[in-house]
Amino acid sequence: AISACEKGGGKFTDTALGLLAELKGRGMEPSVKTYSAAISACEKGGDKYTDTALGLLAELKARVIEPNVITYSAAISACEK
């Protein structure tokens, strides 16, 4: 569902972030793919989500989940906005 929000061109960034929060709130462990989709949703949401995208990247690393090229690419793109 987060990936679907990410494809919404920025209209569903808050929804994507809400879904990620709900997933974590239910005690589930997000995967690198989930984080990548959320970071990409932030990138699509524009410059007001840059800090959120970088925060998610830091959180991913703190959870000892290895970011991949897609994760880094999304984070870099978020910084370009």
Side-chain angles (χ1 to χ4, degrees):
I2 294 173
S3 291
C5 292
E6 171 235 335
K7 291 173 182 31
K11 293 185 273 186
F12 302 105
T13 301
D14 289 327
T15 303
L17 295 173
L19 289 169
L20 178 62
E22 183 178 338
L23 182 136
K24 292 185 292 187
R26 292 177 181 249
M28 294 184 233
E29 186 68 32
S31 68
V32 67
K33 185 175 179 178
T34 305
Y35 273 103
S36 295
I39 292 169
S40 185
C42 290
E43 180 261 323
K44 303 282 192 304
D47 62 351
K48 73 177 191 173
Y49 292 100
T50 300
D51 289 340
T52 303
L54 295 176
L56 289 173
L57 180 62
E59 182 181 306
L60 171 75
K61 293 164 110 180
R63 289 179 179 250
V64 194
I65 301 170
E66 190 67 33
N68 60 27
V69 69
I70 296 168
T71 313
Y72 283 118
S73 178
I76 290 167
S77 293
C79 292
E80 292 177 338
K81 301 292 176 182

